[in-house]
Amino acid sequence: MNEKQSKLLKEVKCLLKDIDGELHFRLPHSSKRTDIRDMLEWLETGEPVGNFEVLYDLEQESENTEGEDNRDGFWNSPLEIILEQPDMVTQIMLKLDQHHGEELIYEPLICEVGKPFYFTLSKHRCQGELEAFVILFCHYLRYMEELNWEEIRPENVDNLIDDKLIYSVAMCCESIVPAEAVKSETHWHINVALDDILINSGNPDVGIIHNGIRLEIDENYEPPISPLIHNAFQLELDNDNPLFFFETENEYVLFGS
């Protein structure tokens, strides 16, 4: 490193420390302070840490798999796979109460990102992408009060699949997205929501809810979702924040806000 680069690095470190100090007074619970500290450590040691370590690993993974396409079948179009396997979808819908996923919902007071949520399903609890997607999308429909699981019965399940599941998925624009885009989008939404939750922590209507139970959290809280994303696609409706369905090392995830 030459003298000019060394001087510039020193100025960057000073600037980051000043920003951290200002955030400490304005937004002491801001999760951006963690990013700043991680960046400072990276500059000091030369090795990425925290979120930067995850992003670096994802970039390395993308480079190592460049030219390979493992997003065939389901990952090209979930709607087509649902339409091609109606009997399997019917069985999944009829067993939602026994094979449901988990729900993690952020409930800020007034927030530009709305109420971010993760619906997750461990891989050992399902038989693949189709089952995971149907289960998690049905969590979303129930959350939006568009599907009452208690009303699903053998005599009406086919109609509910057509009118609720297939119709809702068909209304969305599907697109494959890179892991980095999913990571960036989810990270921003949950950090903004977390800041608002911590600032308004005295309000009983504010918090993070896991399967109906309010969690005790601080500014360092991170959702228990694996950061290593393998496959992902986006479902988007006009004028709505997009949904992301993705696969990690351990689970399938549906994220929205």
Side-chain angles (χ1 to χ4, degrees):
M1 182 182 298
N2 59 38
E3 183 178 352
K4 184 177 180 180
Q5 290 172 327
S6 179
K7 182 179 179 181
L8 179 60
L9 179 59
K10 184 177 180 180
E11 290 176 355
V12 169
K13 291 178 181 178
C14 289
L15 177 60
L16 287 173
K17 290 177 181 178
D18 286 343
I19 294 172
D20 185 40
E22 186 169 344
L23 279 175
H24 175 72
F25 288 103
R26 294 191 178 189
L27 290 170
H29 300 300
S30 175
S31 52
K32 292 300 180 185
R33 295 187 64 209
T34 301
D35 289 340
I36 291 173
R37 290 193 291 269
D38 287 345
M39 176 60 76
L40 284 169
E41 185 174 346
W42 186 2
L43 293 174
E44 289 287 348
T45 65
E47 294 292 334
V49 298
N51 287 323
F52 299 106
E53 182 179 15
V54 171
L55 289 174
Y56 178 79
D57 286 341
L58 289 175
E59 290 173 0
Q60 289 291 100
E61 183 177 343
S62 297
E63 292 174 1
N64 292 337
T65 59
E66 187 174 358
E68 298 178 9
D69 186 4
N70 62 342
R71 291 174 173 148
D72 55 356
F74 175 86
W75 295 100
N76 281 331
S77 176
L79 180 59
E80 289 183 8
I81 304 301
I82 288 172
L83 293 173
E84 290 173 358
Q85 302 187 49
D87 292 341
M88 181 177 292
V89 174
T90 296
Q91 293 305 311
I92 296 170
M93 291 282 287
L94 289 173
K95 296 179 180 179
L96 283 174
D97 284 334
Q98 297 98 320
H99 302 288
H100 58 80
E102 297 193 12
E103 299 182 351
L104 185 70
I105 301 172
Y106 287 66
E107 295 189 345
L109 185 60
I110 301 175
C111 190
E112 60 184 301
V113 297
K115 295 183 177 181
F117 57 80
Y118 288 97
F119 301 145
T120 64
L121 186 65
S122 297
K123 287 186 173 180
H124 73 269
R125 295 188 58 203
C126 66
Q127 298 181 13
E129 296 90 353
L130 173 60
E131 184 174 9
F133 178 79
V134 172
I135 290 173
L136 296 180
F137 199 84
C138 285
H139 272 273
Y140 167 70
L141 292 176
R142 182 175 67 173
Y143 177 64
M144 299 300 292
E145 299 182 348
E146 295 181 11
L147 176 65
N148 184 346
W149 287 14
E150 296 179 357
E151 295 178 354
I152 301 175
R153 298 182 297 274
E155 61 268 23
N156 69 358
V157 64
D158 290 338
N159 288 334
L160 291 176
I161 290 172
D162 290 340
D163 297 340
K164 302 296 183 179
L165 177 64
I166 292 176
Y167 174 79
S168 298
V169 176
M171 290 294 292
C172 297
C173 294
E174 302 174 0
S175 58
I176 295 173
V177 290
E180 292 83 355
V182 178
K183 178 69 178 178
S184 175
E185 186 78 9
T186 57
H187 183 72
W188 181 76
H189 276 79
I190 64 172
N191 279 346
V192 174
L194 179 60
D195 287 343
D196 185 272
I197 289 169
L198 292 169
I199 290 172
N200 298 286
S201 59
N203 189 311
D205 296 324
V206 169
I208 297 178
I209 313 300
H210 179 233
N211 294 336
I213 299 175
R214 191 174 302 273
L215 303 179
E216 294 291 334
I217 53 99
D218 59 22
E219 66 271 17
N220 296 314
Y221 176 78
E222 292 286 345
I225 310 296
S226 173
L228 298 178
I229 298 172
H230 295 311
N231 297 297
F233 66 79
Q234 175 179 290
L235 294 165
E236 189 170 11
L237 279 170
D238 291 341
N239 303 318
D240 282 344
N241 289 327
L243 298 171
F244 294 94
F245 179 76
F246 55 94
E247 174 189 4
T248 75
E249 290 287 307
N250 307 314
E251 68 264 307
Y252 294 100
V253 183
L254 183 70
F255 173 88
S257 179

